[in-house]
């Protein structure tokens, strides 16, 4: 069974890497023309959290309407050295600036300090769509910022709900 699962995972990975509308850090590929550019911000926790980004990408493989910008690398070692960390940070900032929408998914068990900072950075951009539940330890902070800046806050982290909201974007 493990061999079959490994094979299926390899096929899935290949599909994600070859899809022309999915761009994963640190790729410099351009987004497809005339697509809605979606940046997947939120919990990563040095790769230790659920890989919700991959699940979203799977839902949008070869969808002609969207380009998905995914900051989560398949392999990330926080000890890669400062030059690689800086490269990643700059990639994320450039891609968030480029995005039409930033999906901010904050998982309840995380600390997500970078996500909180990015909410502050982009709170006036009219690009943010925040997914966060009251189980997150700083939910009230997130909720108050969203209210103040009229950011849509959706109190769920379910993939199907996030996908549904993305599909409604124009």
């Amino acid at each position: 069974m493990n061999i079959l699962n490994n094979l299926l995972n390899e096929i899935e990975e290949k599909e994600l890497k070859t899809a022309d509308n999915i761009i994963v850090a640190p790729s410099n590929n351009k987004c497809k023309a005339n697509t809605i550019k979606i940046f997947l911000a939120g919990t990563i926790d040095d790769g230790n959290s659920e890989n919700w980004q991959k699940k979203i990408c799977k839902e949008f493989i070869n969808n002609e309407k969207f380009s998905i910008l995914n900051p989560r690398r398949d392999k990330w070692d926080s000890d890669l050295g400062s030059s690689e960390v800086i490269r990643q940070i700059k990639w994320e900032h450039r891609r968030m600036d480029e995005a039409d929408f930033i999906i901010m998914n904050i998982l309840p068990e995380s600390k997500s300090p970078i996500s909180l900072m990015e909410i502050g950075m982009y709170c006036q951009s009219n690009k943010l769509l925040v997914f966060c539940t009251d189980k997150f330890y700083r939910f009230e902070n997130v909720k108050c910022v969203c209210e103040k800046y009229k950011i849509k806050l959706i109190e769920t982290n379910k993939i199907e709900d996030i996908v549904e909201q993305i599909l409604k974007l124009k």
Side-chain angles (χ1 to χ4, degrees):
M1 192 66 168
N2 279 343
I3 294 171
L4 181 58
N5 285 338
N6 288 341
L7 184 58
L8 290 173
N9 283 335
E10 284 179 35
I11 292 168
E12 226 171 55
E13 290 296 324
K14 187 173 182 176
E15 281 181 333
L16 287 173
K17 287 179 182 176
T18 59
D20 62 355
N21 69 321
I22 308 288
I23 300 171
V24 180
S27 171
N28 287 319
N29 291 348
K30 294 189 183 309
C31 291
K32 289 181 69 175
N34 304 314
T35 60
I36 299 170
K37 296 177 282 302
I38 307 291
F39 186 92
L40 302 179
T43 303
I44 295 177
D45 289 337
D46 283 333
N48 297 314
S49 68
E50 169 194 8
N51 192 340
W52 63 269
Q53 296 90 343
K54 182 188 270 186
K55 292 176 182 178
I56 297 289
C57 288
K58 281 188 215 175
E59 294 292 326
F60 288 93
I61 287 177
N62 298 319
N63 183 313
E64 297 295 321
K65 184 177 176 185
F66 298 96
S67 288
I68 306 295
L69 299 159
N70 181 3
R72 188 173 188 147
R73 296 186 188 196
D74 289 338
K75 295 178 183 161
W76 176 256
D77 180 354
S78 57
D79 295 329
L80 284 172
S82 64
S83 64
E84 195 58 28
V85 171
I86 289 168
R87 179 179 180 211
Q88 178 73 18
I89 293 167
K90 288 182 177 183
W91 185 92
E92 291 180 19
H93 291 175
R94 181 170 42 86
R95 294 303 190 148
M96 281 188 278
D97 290 345
E98 173 186 0
D100 297 309
F101 295 97
I102 299 169
I103 300 300
M104 182 66 66
N105 186 30
I106 302 175
L107 300 180
E109 66 279 358
S110 72
K111 295 293 182 198
S112 294
I114 303 304
S115 299
L116 294 174
M117 178 187 68
E118 290 168 348
I119 288 174
M121 288 172 62
Y122 289 91
C123 66
Q124 295 184 44
S125 70
N126 294 317
K127 295 180 177 192
L128 279 172
L129 184 57
V130 177
F131 294 84
C132 184
T133 71
D134 63 1
K135 303 288 187 252
F136 181 61
Y137 81 115
R138 292 288 186 227
F139 176 75
E140 293 304 325
N141 295 86
V142 171
K143 184 176 179 180
C144 287
V145 169
C146 288
E147 286 173 0
K148 179 176 181 174
Y149 292 99
K150 297 175 178 51
I151 299 166
K152 188 170 186 179
L153 171 62
I154 301 162
E155 295 184 39
T156 184
N157 299 111
K158 292 180 182 173
I159 298 302
E160 57 271 15
D161 295 337
I162 297 170
V163 168
E164 180 182 327
Q165 289 298 315
I166 292 172
L167 290 170
K168 291 179 182 178
L169 297 173
K170 295 178 183 168

